Amino acid sequence: MVASDGIPLLKPKDVESTNEGEKEETLLDRVGSRIRTSASSIWDRKFLLLVLIAAFLNALRGLFSKLVLIDLDPILAGFVDLVTVVVCCIPANVYYRSKLTTSPKMAGVLFLTGSLRGVTTILVMVAFKNIDAGDAEAIISSRPVIVGALAWIILSERMALLDIIAGLFALMGVVLLAKPTILFDLTVAYNQKTLIGSLSAIGVAFMIAMTGVLRRVLSLTEIDKNVSLMYINLVGAGLCGVACAVLGEWQWPAEIENQIYLIALGVVGYGHGILTIIALSKEKTYHVFMIKSSTFLMLYVLQYIFLGVTPDLPGIIGSMGIIMSTVLVAKSKSDSDTSEGTK
């Protein structure tokens, strides 16, 4: 059977290939190839959109955190945030009748990831309490680089040259947006408080990176994504709850507006968490965290809209750096998919 363009629709069984080791290409082969290429292209757009939405939700979390922490203990805010995420996970698990049990090995990975999540929440608050927010954000922004190194060592996920260049652009962009006093205000004195805050921020960067790698591992297992998110935040909430009990910090915000912001922090955190896990199940850890660096750019815009923080020249240049890093990661991913498709 032959199509109008002379390409056989189906290859008869008794027709041998003209060259040894090669098969004659049929029209169905070409259609199948085009469908696979189209599906890959569609997923590229979905991946980019998923991670950008996750970054936007994370930026909203940052905005809500700034509003909530005005009159609320940071660790209590973290506790309520994690508990709210757990509560948001329950309806989906009930509706889909998700399997809540797993192997002892995966249970250990879930517990470790949740523990890192809880400790990270506490250390973030310690960092922001002891040093300037810009300093903390600039130090924590190094996490994509750490993620890349850990993913390379643990998951054998290689980084291309474009990935490394994108990381440098992102790091430069975040530093210019955060404007840390370490670089922009040389008159600031360094003391024990500054040291504690800086070490806490470094610890946050490493723990977020490690959590990202572990979430990548979990996303590739049979564990339901919603279930893994619930257990991770449940363990983290337990650690924050213990910290609140030890410190005696259980003062609920008096104003209704702050209560709404606090609950919204957790609801948005659920959306951010589930989208991140979905993206990690489809793409390399480094690519996900690199594009999520756009969180800082989005937070910068949200602060301008809602808090009246006026952009300056370093901030504008930093924004361009983050945009450039996102473009480079998208280009690197496209090149990687193309090279894999030609093998």
Side-chain angles (χ1 to χ4, degrees):
M1 187 180 297
V2 180
S4 59
D5 58 357
I7 301 173
L9 286 173
L10 296 173
K11 184 179 177 182
K13 292 183 179 178
D14 58 343
V15 175
E16 297 294 334
S17 176
T18 55
N19 298 322
E20 290 189 10
E22 293 183 2
K23 292 183 179 180
E24 183 180 345
E25 184 182 35
T26 66
L27 180 60
L28 295 181
D29 290 334
R30 287 191 179 184
V31 171
S33 177
R34 288 174 184 174
I35 290 174
R36 287 190 294 272
T37 303
S38 176
S40 176
S41 176
I42 290 172
W43 170 245
D44 284 346
R45 293 193 290 271
K46 281 186 177 180
F47 159 72
L48 187 60
L49 182 61
L50 267 181
V51 183
L52 286 176
I53 293 174
F56 176 72
L57 293 177
N58 204 28
L60 276 180
R61 282 169 51 81
L63 181 65
F64 290 146
S65 295
K66 288 179 180 292
L67 296 172
V68 164
L69 293 178
I70 294 175
D71 62 350
L72 184 67
D73 181 75
I75 299 178
L76 177 59
F79 172 74
V80 177
D81 172 25
L82 297 175
V83 169
T84 305
V85 174
V86 173
V87 172
C88 289
C89 291
I90 294 175
N93 288 333
V94 173
Y95 181 80
Y96 291 107
R97 297 180 180 180
S98 302
K99 182 181 177 182
L100 301 179
T101 58
T102 184
S103 65
K105 183 178 180 180
M106 286 298 102
V109 175
L110 281 169
F111 183 80
L112 176 59
T113 308
S115 300
L116 290 173
R117 179 80 172 89
V119 174
T120 299
T121 301
I122 296 172
L123 286 181
V124 165
M125 306 310 176
V126 173
F128 276 82
K129 185 175 181 180
N130 287 279
I131 60 176
D132 182 77
D135 292 346
E137 289 176 352
I139 295 172
I140 295 172
S141 70
S142 63
R143 66 182 182 269
V145 179
I146 303 172
V147 163
L150 290 177
W152 193 331
I153 296 170
I154 299 174
L155 303 177
S156 299
E157 294 181 353
R158 303 294 180 180
M159 288 189 296
L161 179 60
L162 277 180
D163 292 331
I164 297 173
I165 296 174
L168 295 176
F169 269 105
L171 191 59
M172 176 203 73
V174 174
V175 168
L176 290 175
L177 280 172
K179 291 183 285 294
T181 55
I182 298 173
L183 300 177
F184 288 83
D185 188 357
L186 299 179
T187 62
V188 175
Y190 296 94
N191 49 38
Q192 185 177 2
K193 185 177 180 181
T194 304
L195 179 62
I196 292 174
S198 299
L199 290 177
S200 298
I202 293 172
V204 168
F206 273 97
M207 289 191 179
I208 290 178
M210 193 63 207
T211 301
V213 172
L214 290 174
R215 283 188 174 187
R216 167 72 167 162
V217 172
L218 290 169
S219 70
L220 300 176
T221 65
E222 77 286 352
I223 303 174
D224 183 83
K225 296 174 178 58
N226 207 68
V227 172
S228 67
L229 183 65
M230 182 182 71
Y231 282 139
I232 288 169
N233 284 274
L234 184 62
V235 174
L239 289 177
C240 287
V242 171
C244 288
V246 171
L247 299 175
E249 297 289 351
W250 294 107
Q251 187 65 40
W252 187 257
E255 297 183 7
I256 299 296
E257 184 179 9
N258 287 336
Q259 294 176 14
I260 294 174
Y261 287 143
L262 185 56
I263 300 300
L265 180 66
V267 174
V268 172
Y270 169 75
H272 165 258
I274 199 69
L275 289 180
T276 300
I277 291 179
I278 293 173
L280 285 170
S281 69
K282 300 291 185 180
E283 187 49 56
K284 291 181 180 179
T285 318
Y286 180 75
H287 286 169
V288 173
F289 275 78
M290 273 302 310
I291 295 180
K292 279 184 65 179
S293 295
S294 58
T295 291
F296 294 96
L297 171 58
M298 296 176 185
L299 180 57
Y300 194 63
V301 174
L302 289 174
Q303 287 183 133
Y304 170 70
I305 296 173
F306 295 103
L307 302 180
V309 178
T310 306
D312 52 13
L313 182 58
I316 294 172
I317 297 174
S319 301
M320 294 173 63
I322 291 180
I323 293 172
M324 180 59 70
S325 72
T326 302
V327 172
L328 289 174
V329 168
K331 171 64 176 170
S332 174
K333 173 173 165 48
S334 176
D335 292 346
S336 176
D337 291 343
T338 302
S339 63
E340 288 178 2
T342 57
K343 288 181 181 179

